[in-house]
Amino acid sequence: EGLQNDSKRAHRWNFSSARKRMSTVIDLSKKKKKLYRLHVKGASEMVLKLCTSMVNQEGKVVKLSKKEKKKLGKNIEGLATQGLRTIGLAYRDFDDEQKWSADEEGTETESSLTLIALVGIEDPLRPEVPDSVRTCQRAGLTVRMVTGDNVLTAKKIAEDCHIYDPS
């Protein structure tokens, strides 16, 4: 709450299923020095595509190589196949010389990001869901799942619910 009170939001792009991310520009300016920081969070594969650098294990910003990007993509796949929702966190700084744009979709501003983290979050099934799905199936209903999740995450959840059988 203290951080929110100390931060002045300059602009925000809300989450949408098309963008699969949300972003906020915070005004960090001090007296004569302009500084803005863009914070981005969203579907990790979407956020990763927008990144050109990353914060390494030592806390230093380093260039994000194609090899490292591919490795991170594999990590995302690994988390998703476990049924975890993956979220990417990134940022970009803008000073007085580098202008950020309040364009409608944020595409001009949400580029050349620095990746901070990729996170896997478990959203456990309610215990009654698999039995409810089976009851519907025994009654002759075809159960479908609609989601905006990563396809690998959705597949694992569908397996756990008995909606999808890989065999």
Side-chain angles (χ1 to χ4, degrees), residues 121-138:
I121 299 173
E122 183 179 14
D123 190 3
L125 289 177
R126 292 188 184 133
E128 67 273 11
V129 170
D131 286 340
S132 297
V133 168
R134 283 196 172 123
T135 299
C136 291
Q137 290 168 334
R138 282 192 300 268

Side-chain angles (χ1 to χ4, degrees), residues 93-113:
D93 287 337
F94 296 87
D95 62 23
D96 217 7
E97 302 299 314
Q98 303 165 308
K99 304 292 184 207
W100 60 272
S101 170
D103 66 307
E104 192 171 312
E105 288 298 312
T107 50
E108 288 180 37
T109 303
E110 297 170 326
S111 63
S112 302
L113 302 179

Side-chain angles (χ1 to χ4, degrees), residues 37-105:
R37 177 164 283 180
L38 170 73
H39 295 276
V40 180
K41 69 176 177 178
S44 54
E45 61 274 13
M46 303 301 275
V47 173
L48 182 60
K49 285 180 188 177
L50 302 172
C51 293
T52 56
S53 60
M54 63 179 264
V55 177
N56 69 13
Q57 292 177 334
E58 290 78 40
K60 296 190 183 339
V61 175
V62 296
K63 185 177 177 3
L64 187 54
S65 68
K66 287 182 182 179
K67 182 180 177 183
E68 187 66 25
K69 224 174 194 178
K70 190 172 184 175
K71 181 181 170 187
L72 291 168
K74 294 283 186 195
N75 288 344
I76 292 167
E77 286 178 17
L79 293 169
T81 56
Q82 296 174 53
L84 300 177
R85 289 201 167 102
T86 61
I87 297 174
L89 305 171
Y91 77 95
R92 181 177 175 191
D93 287 337
F94 296 87
D95 62 23
D96 217 7
E97 302 299 314
Q98 303 165 308
K99 304 292 184 207
W100 60 272
S101 170
D103 66 307
E104 192 171 312
E105 288 298 312

